[in-house]
Amino acid sequence: MTSSFARSPDYPIDPLFLERWSPRAFTGEAISEADLFTMIEAARWAPSSYNSQPWRFIWARRDTPHWDRLFGLLVPGNQKWVKDTAALLFLVSNGMMNTKDGLKPSASASFDTGTASALFQLQAIRMGWHAHGMVGFDRERAPDVLNLPPHHRVEAAFAVGRRADPATLTEEQRARETPNGRRPITDFSHEGGFPPREA
């Protein structure tokens, strides 16, 4: 299903980047473990400091034994639409990494895990799925529910599914069911440093 919203880049880029967005209307179609693993495989090839690969994916497909436990971590507003997705994942980073000097804290674990997240989402789009990222979940309960080891942190949750007609959403949700735009490059890209501060 294509969007009626035309996104226009200021510079020529691959259409894949414009096709990636976060819908809330999903068909309820099931996903195979092989398709889900293909997305995680793409994430596996993300770059990371010292090749530490700090990302961890905790996942469940809908109508499988682990689904309710992960689904129960989401805030009610997200549960309303995630119930129709095919898979739910929690993306976790490991804050420690092995170096030539032994185990050390990683200054880039969240950054590296975010890079893996981007590759995961782009692979999903390439396969005709959408991945919608969320931070609306119970952060206090998540470490216990997900059985996190020490030095691990939940970064985000992702719901994966096939996009559906927005008419299946509530009126409030339909109002947001459009790919959003982006600020111009000049807002966040500065040659040589930030502009001088005003006195």
Side-chain angles (χ1 to χ4, degrees):
M1 177 181 295
T2 58
S3 171
S4 59
F5 183 92
R7 284 173 142 182
S8 298
D10 292 336
Y11 294 88
I13 58 174
D14 192 292
L16 177 67
F17 298 103
L18 302 177
E19 293 164 11
R20 190 227 58 81
W21 67 288
S22 303
R24 290 176 179 81
F26 291 95
T27 64
E29 178 182 338
I31 189 171
S32 69
E33 189 174 277
D35 274 4
L36 190 59
F37 279 180
T38 297
M39 298 170 201
I40 296 173
E41 175 70 19
R44 186 167 78 101
W45 292 97
S48 60
S49 177
Y50 287 87
N51 195 29
S52 58
Q53 303 170 44
W55 46 83
R56 306 289 184 266
F57 287 84
I58 299 173
W59 56 273
R61 292 181 295 149
R62 193 163 44 82
D63 300 326
T64 63
H66 298 292
W67 172 266
D68 286 342
R69 190 162 47 84
L70 271 58
F71 184 79
L73 287 173
L74 302 179
V75 299
N78 284 334
Q79 288 181 344
K80 288 179 183 177
W81 58 268
V82 172
K83 64 181 176 54
D84 295 321
T85 60
L88 181 58
L89 304 95
F90 281 83
L91 187 53
V92 174
S93 63
N94 179 3
M96 300 295 285
M97 64 179 178
N98 286 310
T99 71
K100 62 183 180 183
D101 299 317
L103 198 63
K104 301 282 185 183
S106 171
S108 64
S110 291
F111 175 83
D112 297 339
T113 301
T115 305
S117 159
L119 271 57
F120 173 88
Q121 294 175 69
L122 292 174
Q123 181 63 44
I125 287 294
R126 183 64 82 203
M127 298 167 67
W129 297 89
H130 279 79
H132 185 132
M134 300 165 279
V135 293
F137 59 87
D138 191 329
R139 287 194 172 273
E140 288 187 9
R141 290 177 49 235
D144 286 337
V145 172
L146 302 176
N147 196 30
L148 293 195
H151 310 297
H152 285 63
R153 162 192 160 95
V154 182
E155 300 286 354
F158 283 89
V160 177
R162 297 268 194 215
R163 189 171 161 231
D165 189 324
T168 60
L169 297 172
T170 65
E171 185 176 347
E172 178 189 0
Q173 291 169 333
R174 280 198 303 273
R176 297 187 292 168
E177 192 67 358
T178 302
N180 47 30
R182 291 294 184 271
R183 293 169 11 198
I185 287 177
T186 51
D187 276 8
F188 60 85
S189 173
H190 311 289
E191 183 177 9
F194 278 89
R197 296 184 187 91
E198 293 183 8

